[in-house]
Amino acid sequence: VLVALRLYTKDRLLEVAQALLKLAAVCVRLAQQHQWQPMPGYTHGRPAMLSSVGLWGGAFAESLLENLELLKTTYQLVNQNPLGAAAGYGVPFPIDRELTTQLLSFARTQSNSLAVMNSRGKLEFAVLSALSCVLLDLNRLAGDLILFSGKSFGFFELPAGFCTGSSIMPHKQNPDVLELVRARSARVLTALTQQAVILKGLTSGYHRDLQETKRPLFEALDTTYGCVTVLTPLMSGLKINTERLNAALTPELFAVDEVLERVRAGVPLRDAYRQVKEQLQHLRKRDPLQALQARAHTGGPGNLQLEPLSRKIANKQREWEKLQRVFKEAKARLLQRGV
């Protein structure tokens, strides 16, 4: 059962990884197409400083790639062969565990037989933890899209195919798909908690409690894959309303620019901060393109590093395709042997 679970998890993680890479690539393309389109940046839910659509899209691409690193680590943990550990205490036969590791295309043999048994549920917990990080980012992406596509903002326009009408109000187009993504993130987080509670307090060896660690894993893998795959075409069809974005660039977004300009002129930061705060009504709106370009440090709106990010996605794509190819080849060999 544990071998089957490991093989199943490897297969599903490969699917999730490929889907994540597609979504990350869409986010990078959006960032490249609208790299210099300014938009307000928010802290505490209130206008804070100048941002850009490029910075926003690139941020999610980079976050998704971070999640991919977590998935890779969990894939490596799962990619251990437990076969031959029996009930956790080995068997008095000269079995060749390394042979089954090779035949099943595991990266290595999980050695200590009791450690194999104690890894039940624990490795699933690691997978759920990585999936939870994915869903946290998707939850934030969905929240941003719901907010910024609403009439009060109007920065983005969602593809009509991902919205539904109201049951009573004929003028409504509701972001139901995004709301479901946002809500379903709770499923994965709940599965992670459920897994932890099941494992807590167990002693070494097998317990029937571990039977209940499988359903949370299956459901979390399904939920994560579904959420990632539905967001990819949605993001591809997202429209940017430049008129509304430009209209939202109020002078307050340039308050920090004013402070730092005085600092460069020799005014101490505390004095410059106070001066600008006392004269907020006199703030002027600056050229947003120049302001973006001035933020030229690595990762700033004026230096988004989108080309290196695109290359990283391409490299990761090749890396995961290789893992998938090895897995498929091993499966094909085993099926052929069975015939």
Side-chain angles (χ1 to χ4, degrees), residues 200-324:
K200 180 182 178 298
L202 294 183
T203 55
S204 292
Y206 180 76
H207 307 270
R208 181 61 78 178
D209 310 54
L210 296 166
Q211 177 176 298
E212 296 299 312
T213 64
K214 298 172 183 62
R215 183 186 294 273
L217 176 69
F218 298 154
E219 292 180 348
L221 285 164
D222 286 342
T223 300
T224 303
Y225 182 73
C227 289
V228 175
T229 52
V230 79
L231 282 174
T232 302
L234 188 152
M235 287 293 290
S236 293
L238 190 69
K239 294 181 181 178
I240 307 301
N241 189 334
T242 58
E243 184 178 341
R244 291 292 293 270
L245 282 165
N246 291 334
L249 302 178
T250 54
E252 63 189 327
L253 296 174
F254 302 92
V256 174
D257 297 75
E258 180 69 29
V259 169
L260 297 181
E261 185 175 277
R262 298 183 185 209
V263 169
R264 282 193 294 269
V267 179
L269 176 60
R270 69 182 69 182
D271 295 334
Y273 180 99
R274 187 177 62 255
Q275 291 169 9
V276 172
K277 185 173 182 178
E278 292 172 350
Q279 301 171 15
L280 288 176
Q281 68 274 19
H282 301 301
L283 276 176
R284 58 189 175 88
K285 183 177 177 180
R286 297 167 178 254
D287 184 324
L289 182 58
Q290 288 182 0
L292 289 175
Q293 291 172 337
R295 292 152 164 78
H297 58 76
T298 301
N303 184 10
L304 291 174
Q305 299 288 298
L306 295 177
E307 287 307 316
L309 195 56
S310 293
R311 290 195 296 270
K312 186 174 182 180
I313 290 173
N315 290 336
K316 293 296 179 184
Q317 184 74 47
R318 288 189 290 269
E319 184 179 312
W320 282 93
E321 284 175 353
K322 181 179 179 181
L323 290 172
Q324 193 166 50

Side-chain angles (χ1 to χ4, degrees), residues 8-313:
Y8 171 83
T9 304
K10 284 174 60 177
D11 197 22
R12 296 306 309 276
L13 283 176
L14 288 166
E15 289 181 344
V16 172
Q18 295 286 1
L20 271 178
L21 283 164
K22 289 179 182 177
L23 180 56
V26 169
C27 290
V28 169
R29 284 198 297 272
L30 179 76
Q32 290 171 330
Q33 292 167 2
H34 304 281
Q35 180 173 356
W36 299 110
Q37 174 57 53
M39 69 179 292
Y42 297 86
T43 63
H44 306 278
R46 288 160 173 75
M49 293 176 65
L50 185 68
S51 182
S52 69
V53 175
L55 185 71
W56 180 83
F60 282 103
E62 195 164 313
S63 294
L64 293 173
L65 289 181
E66 289 173 349
N67 295 330
L68 203 64
E69 291 300 313
L70 293 174
L71 287 180
K72 182 181 176 182
T73 297
T74 57
Y75 185 89
Q76 291 169 340
L77 290 172
V78 172
N79 200 15
Q80 303 178 85
N81 179 24
L83 193 60
Y89 302 99
V91 291
F93 293 104
I95 59 176
D96 188 346
R97 297 188 65 207
E98 285 68 29
L99 176 60
T100 58
T101 296
Q102 179 184 352
L103 292 174
L104 292 167
S105 190
F106 282 106
R108 58 190 174 277
T109 303
Q110 191 173 5
S111 182
N112 186 287
S113 59
L114 184 56
V116 170
M117 196 55 55
N118 289 344
S119 70
R120 283 179 176 266
K122 175 187 171 183
L123 296 195
E124 292 94 292
F125 179 86
V127 174
L128 287 167
S129 180
L131 296 178
S132 295
C133 287
V134 174
L135 265 297
L136 285 174
D137 281 330
L138 299 188
N139 175 78
R140 182 168 290 185
L141 175 59
D144 280 2
L145 289 169
I146 291 169
L147 182 69
F148 293 147
S149 64
K151 202 164 186 179
S152 299
F153 287 84
F155 297 165
F156 303 149
E157 182 181 338
L158 302 175
F162 294 89
C163 299
T164 59
S166 165
S167 59
I168 190 172
M169 294 169 283
H171 65 286
K172 294 290 295 298
Q173 280 292 306
N174 299 320
D176 284 8
V177 168
L178 291 170
E179 290 172 344
L180 287 171
V181 168
R182 189 171 59 181
R184 289 186 184 185
S185 63
R187 286 191 184 183
V188 180
L189 294 170
T190 301
L192 178 66
T193 303
Q194 182 180 354
Q195 202 84 338
V197 174
I198 292 171
L199 296 174
K200 180 182 178 298
L202 294 183
T203 55
S204 292
Y206 180 76
H207 307 270
R208 181 61 78 178
D209 310 54
L210 296 166
Q211 177 176 298
E212 296 299 312
T213 64
K214 298 172 183 62
R215 183 186 294 273
L217 176 69
F218 298 154
E219 292 180 348
L221 285 164
D222 286 342
T223 300
T224 303
Y225 182 73
C227 289
V228 175
T229 52
V230 79
L231 282 174
T232 302
L234 188 152
M235 287 293 290
S236 293
L238 190 69
K239 294 181 181 178
I240 307 301
N241 189 334
T242 58
E243 184 178 341
R244 291 292 293 270
L245 282 165
N246 291 334
L249 302 178
T250 54
E252 63 189 327
L253 296 174
F254 302 92
V256 174
D257 297 75
E258 180 69 29
V259 169
L260 297 181
E261 185 175 277
R262 298 183 185 209
V263 169
R264 282 193 294 269
V267 179
L269 176 60
R270 69 182 69 182
D271 295 334
Y273 180 99
R274 187 177 62 255
Q275 291 169 9
V276 172
K277 185 173 182 178
E278 292 172 350
Q279 301 171 15
L280 288 176
Q281 68 274 19
H282 301 301
L283 276 176
R284 58 189 175 88
K285 183 177 177 180
R286 297 167 178 254
D287 184 324
L289 182 58
Q290 288 182 0
L292 289 175
Q293 291 172 337
R295 292 152 164 78
H297 58 76
T298 301
N303 184 10
L304 291 174
Q305 299 288 298
L306 295 177
E307 287 307 316
L309 195 56
S310 293
R311 290 195 296 270
K312 186 174 182 180
I313 290 173

